[in-house]
């Protein structure tokens, strides 16, 4: 009589597969904020690392800090002159202006890159693509 072959348990296979995949997931999440700076999120410094990683997938630390800075600048501007001219406020506003200047320079560099990309696309001689590019640029410039 041939030996009985056992049918693999699908639940066991599923659990082993997920366990193997889970081991591939990073144990730490590192996101650069400023050159030379990083924040590491792991089970040692977050009560909910997965929630924090989910938030970062939606809103980076840079975006979060930028929005906080924008609101704080509005709140400082609404304060009496003595508060606006205080050391903490002036240092914050100086930092905010420097950050805004860096963002402006970055946007200008991206526009230069975009111009080069548009030139490369136009060089293909595709009339329909050229029309789409012109319409898209006109919409942006009309806004």
């Amino acid at each position: 009589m041939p030996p009985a072959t056992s049918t693999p348990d699908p639940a066991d296979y599923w659990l082993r597969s997920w366990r193997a995949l889970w081991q591939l997931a990073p144990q730490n999440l590192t996101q650069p904020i400023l050159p030379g700076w990083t924040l590491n999120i792991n089970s040692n410094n977050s009560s909910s690392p997965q929630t924090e990683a989910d938030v970062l997938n939606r809103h980076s630390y840079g975006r979060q800090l930028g929005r906080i800075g924008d609101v704080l600048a509005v709140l400082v501007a609404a304060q009496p002159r003595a508060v606006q001219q205080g050391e903490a406020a002036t240092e914050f506003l100086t930092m905010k202006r420097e950050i805004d200047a860096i963002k402006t320079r970055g946007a200008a560099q991206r526009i230069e890159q975009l111009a080069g990309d548009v030139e490369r696309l136009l060089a293909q001689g595709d009339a329909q693509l050229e029309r789409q590019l012109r319409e898209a640029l006109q919409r942006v410039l009309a806004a």
Side-chain angles (χ1 to χ4, degrees), residues 18-140:
W18 273 105
R19 199 174 296 130
L21 286 173
W22 186 254
Q23 290 173 349
L24 295 174
Q27 300 302 309
N28 293 307
L29 173 66
T30 302
Q31 180 182 12
I33 295 177
L34 296 170
W37 288 58
T38 57
L39 289 180
N40 295 315
I41 298 165
N42 57 38
S43 59
N44 295 329
N45 62 6
S46 176
S47 62
S48 181
Q50 185 57 52
T51 300
E52 196 151 353
D54 291 344
V55 169
L56 287 175
N57 282 332
R58 176 84 173 144
H59 299 286
S60 69
Y61 284 126
R63 181 176 294 139
Q64 292 176 44
L65 289 170
R67 290 181 180 171
I68 291 167
D70 291 344
V71 169
L72 187 54
V74 170
L75 294 174
V76 167
Q79 297 303 306
R81 197 162 212 36
V83 173
Q84 292 179 23
Q85 293 176 347
E87 183 179 354
T90 57
E91 286 179 2
F92 166 75
L93 293 173
T94 298
M95 178 188 69
K96 175 95 170 76
R97 281 191 297 276
E98 291 171 357
I99 290 170
D100 290 345
I102 292 167
K103 289 179 179 181
T104 299
R105 284 193 304 273
Q109 290 170 349
R110 289 190 304 278
I111 288 171
E112 287 300 318
Q113 181 179 353
L114 175 64
D117 291 345
V118 169
E119 287 174 357
R120 280 186 286 284
L121 290 171
L122 291 176
Q124 295 178 8
D126 183 334
Q128 182 179 353
L129 178 60
E130 183 175 343
R131 187 177 64 255
Q132 289 174 331
L133 286 170
R134 288 186 189 283
E135 289 171 0
L137 288 172
Q138 286 172 349
R139 279 194 309 272
V140 170

